[in-house]
């Protein structure tokens, strides 16, 4: 049983290594990345402490979490601690052992998708990936593994509408959309800042990096609140620095909230706006589906079910 009730959700960023080299990667991960300085024993301790702090859901992310050799045992540890888990993977390469892990009760999958055309998809990921990702999306569907897919708008004129249509034809039920976040290699003009966040950072959720740094979320990497190599995770999230940063973020998010204009493709619709229900981007249109705040529907709702890690999606009706 949890010793505290201060967290609902945590991102466990277990590696900075990835087969892909996406230009927009918020974590700046890629083939030259590493698993960082946290040992498997460290991660087991962090997962245990995440549950002790009250969280019932955690997400393994990277980098590409399937490249960490201990992923199966870390998933098992989280499940044994009484948590559900989501694995955010590019689905480029899945071994038989990983498929067995993915099929465990309490495990969910998530992945990103960019285009229905391999040349455009590859222009974003910098590696041939569309065919493998699509094949493994189909395989996950066949195995009955809970799966959600986030379409990310990165390029001008990107075929995001066609990508969503393609996923719908594959039978994917949970499809979200998000624009580029200017963090890591995603920086274009504005750079990292509160305007790149969805409005929920530090609200009963945290992210832990491969080096042990703790942030209010995976996108707020310029706001470290502690390190699990020096302080326990419950100690960090109940500490003065976390409380100060969380308070400053709430204040900032509160000042920017405003109603959306009716047009979901309006450039005036900011990340804090509430999108129209059942909306989908038109071809070559990149509406912002981010909603803030993104509260659970009830106290038992898992944040990950309505939120693409820090990327909210409209609930289906």
């Amino acid at each position: 049983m949890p010793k505290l009730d201060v967290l609902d959700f945590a991102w466990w960023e277990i590696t900075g290594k990835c087969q892909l080299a996406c230009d927009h990667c918020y974590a700046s991960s890629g083939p030259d990345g590493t698993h960082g300085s946290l040992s498997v024993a460290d991660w087991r301790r962090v997962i245990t402490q995440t549950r002790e702090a009250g969280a019932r859901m955690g997400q393994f992310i990277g980098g590409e979490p399937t490249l960490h050799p201990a992923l199966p045992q870390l998933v098992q540890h989280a499940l044994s601690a009484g948590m559900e888990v989501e694995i955010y993977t590019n689905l480029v390469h899945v071994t038989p052992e990983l498929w067995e892990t993915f099929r465990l009760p309490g495990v969910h999958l998530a992945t990103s998708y960019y285009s229905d055309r391999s040349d455009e998809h590859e222009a974003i990921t910098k590696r041939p990936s569309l065919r493998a990702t699509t094949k493994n999306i189909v395989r996950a569907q066949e195995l009955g593994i809970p799966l959600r897919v986030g379409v990310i708008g990165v390029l001008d004129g990107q075929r995001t509408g066609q990508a969503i249509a393609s996923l719908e034809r594959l039978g994917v039920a949970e499809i979200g959309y998000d624009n580029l976040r200017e963090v890591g290699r995603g920086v274009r003009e504005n750079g990292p800042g509160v305007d790149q966040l969805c409005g929920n950072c530090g609200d009963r959720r945290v992210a832990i990096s491969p080096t042990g740094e703790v942030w209010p979320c995976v996108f707020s990497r310029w706001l470290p609140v502690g390190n699990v190599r020096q302080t326990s995770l419950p100690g960090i999230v109940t500490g003065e620095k976390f409380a100060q940063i969380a308070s400053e973020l709430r204040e900032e998010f509160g000042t920017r909230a405003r109603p959306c204009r009716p047009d979901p493709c309006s450039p005036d619709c900011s990340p804090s706006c509430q999108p129209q229900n059942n909306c989908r981007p038109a071809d070559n249109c990149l509406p912002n589906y981010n909603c803030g705040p993104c509260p659970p529907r009830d106290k038992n709702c898992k944040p990950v079910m309505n939120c693409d890690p820090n990327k909210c999606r409209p609930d289906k009706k």
Side-chain angles (χ1 to χ4, degrees):
M1 294 294 293
K3 298 178 182 178
L4 297 170
D5 184 22
V6 293
L7 286 182
D8 290 329
F9 178 80
W11 290 270
W12 301 312
E13 189 175 304
I14 60 175
T15 183
K17 192 173 184 64
C18 185
Q19 310 99 320
L20 309 181
C22 303
D23 274 343
H24 66 289
C25 182
Y26 66 87
S28 300
S29 56
D32 296 329
T34 73
H35 298 321
S37 53
L38 293 189
S39 67
V40 174
D42 288 332
W43 277 117
R44 290 171 64 90
R45 173 174 52 82
V46 167
I47 291 168
T48 297
Q49 291 177 354
T50 302
R51 180 68 186 113
E52 288 174 346
R56 299 187 63 87
M57 172 71 78
Q59 184 189 84
F60 291 99
I61 195 169
E64 173 49 41
T66 62
L67 295 181
H68 196 296
L71 177 63
Q73 64 174 282
L74 292 176
V75 170
Q76 287 276 11
H77 183 70
L79 295 174
S80 297
M83 301 182 71
E84 291 190 57
V85 303
E86 184 174 68
I87 302 167
Y88 205 109
T89 167
N90 57 37
L91 287 176
V92 168
H93 179 67
V94 183
T95 65
E97 180 187 17
L98 285 171
W99 280 123
E100 290 304 310
T101 297
F102 293 171
R103 296 180 69 181
L104 292 172
V107 174
H108 307 251
L109 291 182
T111 193
S112 297
Y113 212 72
Y114 304 99
S115 178
D116 63 327
R117 288 178 45 169
S118 59
D119 57 342
E120 187 172 66
H121 205 277
E122 183 175 337
I124 294 170
T125 66
K126 305 305 178 186
R127 299 288 190 278
S129 56
L130 178 60
R131 183 175 179 179
T133 298
T134 303
K135 179 187 72 174
N136 287 322
I137 285 174
V138 171
R139 181 62 174 155
Q141 298 279 100
E142 292 172 346
L143 293 173
I145 301 169
L147 169 72
R148 63 187 180 86
V149 182
V151 175
I152 314 298
V154 178
L155 306 175
D156 291 337
Q158 186 179 329
R159 293 170 60 87
T160 52
Q162 292 91 332
I164 288 175
S166 177
L167 291 167
E168 289 175 335
R169 287 193 295 272
L170 294 176
V172 179
E174 293 287 329
I175 305 172
Y177 177 87
D178 193 32
N179 284 324
L180 168 76
R181 300 297 182 105
E182 294 197 30
V183 180
R185 285 200 301 266
V187 171
R188 299 295 187 266
E189 297 177 358
N190 299 321
V194 177
D195 61 328
Q196 301 299 314
L197 306 178
C198 82
N200 297 287
C201 294
D203 183 10
R204 298 182 62 84
R205 65 198 69 195
V206 292
I208 301 96
S209 81
T211 58
E213 276 195 309
V214 179
W215 309 302
C217 78
V218 290
F219 289 114
S220 58
R221 308 170 86 83
W222 70 96
L223 294 173
V225 294
N227 192 299
V228 294
R229 299 179 71 188
Q230 285 87 45
T231 309
S232 72
L233 185 61
I236 292 171
V237 297
T238 58
E240 183 177 342
K241 187 170 185 180
F242 184 88
Q244 176 187 349
I245 290 179
S247 176
E248 291 172 355
L249 287 172
R250 284 194 300 271
E251 182 177 356
E252 178 66 26
F253 295 146
T255 61
R256 79 181 188 192
R258 57 191 173 84
C260 274
R261 290 172 55 179
D263 177 9
C265 294
S266 167
D268 292 335
C269 189
S270 76
S272 61
C273 290
Q274 177 68 41
Q276 300 296 315
N277 288 327
N278 301 318
C279 53
R280 289 287 186 271
D283 295 350
N284 301 323
C285 175
L286 300 179
N288 198 327
Y289 277 15
N290 301 311
C291 49
C294 188
R297 284 178 290 255
D298 60 61
K299 65 181 180 180
N300 297 315
C301 178
K302 306 173 188 64
V304 76
M305 301 309 291
N306 337 355
C307 299
D308 208 359
N310 259 359
K311 310 166 192 175
C312 301
R313 63 179 299 279
D315 289 334
K316 292 184 177 180
K317 288 191 173 181

